[in-house]
């Protein structure tokens, strides 16, 4: 294990923004994690946990020890009649986990194929796509407290999952390093193709039977056709969350803007499409100062060669203001921002 001082971070975030971290270490086992946390306490520096940097914006230098969590390992904890329980270490790659589970005949993660990043980051925003969220399979999150190394376990309810949200973004923010998650998957083949894009995909191909494998293939194919590859066009996926509105507010908005895509939620709120509103404000395809909004996907901000996370945030603010002026709705940025001066 090597500690780096003054580490350049461009390679460690999928927006390819340049910034320096005061110190950086990549940990591949629990002992290395403990040594790193101890080092940070001795040096009196803060700790920032990093996975693969696919949901962060580096708006300036990071005054902290950046601990990249790279501990690997998948363990079958229990095999029940129709289910299996797995413990997956935080440094595993999420998409590789999805592929591995499918190969083993463990089902439930297909809709979450091709989401970049690590398993350890997956509970932070309760990753979700194509009608499925992590919370539907997650049993427990295992972590260590940054302050004193103490191991802690949070069950599903304790994680307080919501749309792109969890306790790890609120009360537990910057308090824990997630070390592993336990998930429960099915050994019986069943699929969820209720999400409109998936339903359409299979409706247009009546000869393709929806199976976990074909759903996985469909998700991969739809995502590849829609989302830019960060290694070619640096991005963090959706830059803004879809706003959740009270049903009365959504009804008023819909009356004014009949084209606005709306999705009723179980708790009575209504999720409205941020992409549609941004598109209506004519941001799609905007490009200036080597930064822009993807021509096919209004939610995706792309770094075409800028070093400046601060400029990217300035563009994001302009988008937020114009959507607010046009629709009276406040967009919220999805990725975590680091390096802003207090
Ligand atoms: C092209 C593209 C498409 C995407 N599509 C989706 C999508 O469909 N659905 C979706 O939900 N997200 C999506 N994302 C966002 C991203 O993939 C997820 O948020 C992912 O979980 C981030 O993983 P990461 O390892 O890169 O986390 P990082 O970006 O490294 O970290 C993100 C946050 O999690 C914290 N964190 C990371 N690991 C740990 C840990 N072990 N312990 C404690 N805290 C930790 C970090 O401190 C940081 O605050 C997409 C991103 C891209 C680039």
């Amino acid at each position: 294990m090597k500690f780096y001082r003054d580490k350049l971070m461009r390679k460690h975030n999928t927006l390819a923004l340049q910034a320096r971290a005061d110190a950086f270490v990549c940990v591949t086992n629990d002992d290395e994690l403990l040594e790193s946390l101890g080092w940070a306490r001795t040096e009196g520096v803060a700790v920032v946990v990093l996975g693969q940097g696919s949901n962060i914006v580096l708006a300036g230098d990071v005054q902290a020890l950046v601990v990249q969590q790279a501990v690997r390992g998948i363990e079958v904890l229990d095999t029940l009649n129709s289910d299996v329980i797995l413990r997956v270490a935080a440094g595993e790659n999420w998409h590789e986990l999805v592929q591995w589970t499918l190969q083993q005949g463990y089902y439930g993660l297909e809709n979450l194929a091709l989401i970049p990043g690590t398993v350890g980051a997956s509970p932070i925003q309760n990753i979700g796509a194509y009608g499925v969220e992590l919370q539907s399979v997650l049993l427990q999150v295992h972590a260590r407290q940054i302050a004193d190394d103490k191991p802690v376990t949070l069950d599903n309810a304790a994680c307080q999952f919501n749309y792109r949200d969890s306790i790890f973004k609120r009360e537990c923010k910057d308090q824990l390093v997630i070390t592993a998650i336990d998930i429960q998957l099915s050994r019986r083949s069943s699929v969820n193709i209720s999400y409109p894009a998936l339903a359409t995909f299979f409706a247009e191909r009546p000869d393709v039977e929806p199976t976990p494998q074909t759903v996985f293939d469909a998700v991969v194919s739809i995502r590849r056709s829609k989302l830019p590859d960060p290694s070619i066009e640096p991005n963090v996926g959706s830059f803004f969350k879809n706003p959740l509105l009270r049903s009365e507010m959504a009804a008023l908005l819909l009356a004014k803007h009949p084209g606005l895509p709306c999705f009723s939620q179980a708790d009575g709120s209504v999720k409205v499409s941020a992409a549609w509103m941004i598109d209506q404000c004519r941001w799609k395809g905007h490009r200036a100062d080597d930064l822009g909004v993807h021509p096919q996907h209004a939610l995706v901000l792309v770094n075409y060669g800028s070093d400046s996370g601060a400029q990217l945030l300035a563009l994001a603010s302009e988008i937020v203001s114009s959507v607010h002026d046009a629709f009276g709705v406040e967009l919220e940025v999805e990725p975590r921002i680091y390096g802003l001066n207090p």
Side-chain angles (χ1 to χ4, degrees), residues 16-94:
L17 292 166
Q18 191 59 289
R20 285 172 189 278
D22 280 357
F24 176 95
V25 67
C26 177
V27 300
T28 56
N29 59 52
D30 198 45
D31 287 344
E32 291 182 351
L33 174 60
L34 292 176
E35 193 184 330
S36 304
L37 297 181
W39 187 90
R41 282 194 291 271
T42 309
E43 298 281 317
V45 292
V47 168
V48 163
V49 189
L50 185 72
Q52 289 168 352
S54 65
N55 212 17
I56 60 168
V57 178
L58 298 177
D61 291 342
V62 184
Q63 283 153 10
L65 168 66
V66 173
V67 177
Q68 184 173 44
Q69 171 58 293
V71 182
R72 309 292 298 253
I74 305 177
E75 199 184 335
V76 175
L77 290 186
D78 207 350
T79 308
L80 314 168
N81 266 350
S82 59
D83 288 358
V84 64
I85 296 176
L86 304 176
R87 176 159 302 166
V88 189
E92 288 290 333
N93 175 272
W94 178 265

Side-chain angles (χ1 to χ4, degrees), residues 302-334:
V302 180
N303 177 10
Y304 293 104
S306 170
D307 273 349
S308 172
Q311 262 181 359
L312 182 73
L313 291 182
L315 169 62
S317 291
E318 281 187 60
I319 295 172
V320 170
S321 297
S322 68
V323 167
H324 187 265
D325 292 348
F327 299 95
V329 174
E330 193 71 27
L331 291 183
E332 196 185 329
V333 168
E334 182 186 300

Side-chain angles (χ1 to χ4, degrees), residues 14 48-56 69 90 114-118 120-122 124-129 164 176-179 223 227-228 230 235-238 334 336 338:
T14 61
V48 163
V49 189
L50 185 72
Q52 289 168 352
S54 65
N55 212 17
I56 60 168
Q69 171 58 293
L114 223 57
I115 297 182
T118 54
S122 64
I124 306 291
Q125 68 161 1
N126 181 27
I127 56 168
R164 300 288 190 275
L176 301 173
V177 183
I178 293 173
T179 52
R223 289 185 71 103
L227 283 171
N235 73 85
V236 281
S238 302
E334 182 186 300
R336 174 80 190 269
Y338 291 103

